[in-house]
Amino acid sequence: MEREHPAGSAPRLSQEHLEQLQQAKRLLEHPGYVARITDVIGMPLEAAVKALPAAWTSKIAAVTNASLTKCLNVANATLRPSGTSSFPKLHSAAVALSGAAGGAFGIAGLALELPVSTVVMLRSIADIGRAQGENLASGEAQLACLMVFSLGGKTAADDASDSGYYAARIALAQAMSEATVYLAKHSLANESAPALVRLIAQIATRFNVHVSQKAAAMMVPIIGAAGGALVNTLFINHFQDMARGHFTVRRLERLYGPDSVSAAYLQLQG
């Protein structure tokens, strides 16, 4: 239930909620999975990405887009609309299993493994959102789950002065609005609907950065099956952290309003 505030006043977050927002900001603005993957593969991740064959760039982008396009309804169909429990360890284990074999087959392996792991990750994201009060029967909440794949890093188009989290939200705002309107008018999502195509394309651009990093790590010759499983575990743990931060912010926005929460977020020290 939203709090009532005097007309014209800017509601201030309680100390407890400010602390929750602080933790959310730490998760959203300081993801550590790149450093952890670097430790696993024994070389800078940036160097591994540059070592990917040039022909892979467009292929990875296509796999990324297709994975996001197919997974939303599949993942959310397995969840109850409301509840308070989430099971991140179960989802991490499932993704680790898919990653154990994924690195051995190059781009073909990625094309088979990524759609599976993305569905599992989206289900985990939705599970975390549900535990934070999201109603997954709502198209808007489902899109908020999908948006998590765009979080955790900046693209070249982002303003360096903006918060990474809010830069991503601003960049996706119009496409999110159009897709939300579409889902409100249609009981079943048509994957080819222009509003959904535009949103998925924008999210895929950001998600592709992470997928390229994962692919590069799993293609390192010494990685092996155990390393592939660990890389996939780190990959899903990253998006679980992004989900925890994102849905904490959304829960607080339902209490205080978006303007109050964004102002408080931007004032907090990272």
Side-chain angles (χ1 to χ4, degrees), residues 31 36 39 51 105 132 145 162 180 194 206 214 220 225 241 257 270:
R36 291 193 287 270
D39 290 341
F105 300 101
Q132 289 274 9
C145 293
D162 286 340
T180 300
R206 292 170 175 270
K214 181 173 91 84
V220 173
D241 283 347

Side-chain angles (χ1 to χ4, degrees), residues 10-269:
R12 298 185 62 182
L13 278 64
S14 69
Q15 185 60 38
E16 177 186 4
H17 288 151
L18 278 174
E19 291 171 0
Q20 293 173 5
L21 188 63
Q22 178 77 73
Q23 176 60 21
K25 184 169 186 175
R26 290 193 187 103
L27 292 171
L28 291 163
E29 304 292 346
H30 302 288
Y33 87 107
V34 170
R36 291 193 287 270
I37 291 179
T38 295
D39 290 341
V40 171
I41 65 176
M43 64 183 293
L45 186 54
E46 188 174 300
V49 172
K50 290 181 179 179
L52 282 174
W56 279 33
T57 302
S58 60
K59 293 180 181 178
I60 290 175
V63 171
T64 299
N65 195 296
S67 298
L68 291 176
T69 299
K70 298 294 184 183
C71 73
L72 181 59
N73 289 338
V74 173
N76 282 346
T78 66
L79 284 174
R80 296 186 303 276
S82 61
T84 58
S85 300
S86 63
F87 305 95
K89 291 183 179 179
L90 178 63
H91 299 125
S92 295
V95 167
L97 287 174
S98 70
F105 300 101
I107 192 68
L110 182 68
L112 293 173
E113 178 268 330
L114 186 64
V116 175
S117 61
T118 304
V119 165
V120 176
M121 288 191 295
L122 185 59
R123 190 197 184 283
S124 182
I125 289 165
D127 209 4
I128 292 168
R130 185 190 66 182
Q132 289 274 9
E134 299 285 345
N135 178 7
L136 298 179
S138 159
E140 192 269 342
Q142 293 173 7
L143 294 177
C145 293
L146 194 65
M147 180 186 170
V148 170
F149 287 113
S150 72
L151 302 177
K154 295 183 178 182
T155 69
D158 291 332
D159 187 331
S161 67
D162 286 340
S163 155
Y165 173 64
Y166 276 100
R169 287 186 65 166
I170 291 168
L172 292 173
Q174 182 173 346
M176 285 284 289
S177 177
E178 292 173 353
T180 300
V181 170
Y182 168 82
L183 289 180
K185 295 179 178 178
H186 299 83
S187 57
L188 291 176
N190 181 347
E191 295 170 355
S192 63
L196 295 182
V197 170
R198 281 192 293 271
L199 176 63
I200 289 172
Q202 291 187 31
I203 293 174
T205 297
R206 292 170 175 270
F207 185 41
N208 187 56
V209 174
H210 302 296
V211 174
S212 295
Q213 292 170 341
K214 181 173 91 84
M218 295 180 73
M219 294 306 107
V220 173
I222 64 170
I223 193 70
L230 181 54
V231 167
N232 253 24
T233 299
L234 294 173
F235 194 60
I236 188 174
N237 288 350
H238 165 74
F239 289 108
Q240 288 170 338
D241 283 347
M242 295 300 103
R244 292 184 186 100
H246 180 49
F247 291 119
T248 294
V249 172
R250 283 175 55 85
R251 172 171 53 79
L252 295 176
E253 287 177 344
R254 291 192 291 272
L255 289 172
Y256 295 96
D259 291 343
S260 293
V261 175
S262 63
Y265 183 101
L266 295 172
Q267 289 174 2
L268 288 170
Q269 296 297 316

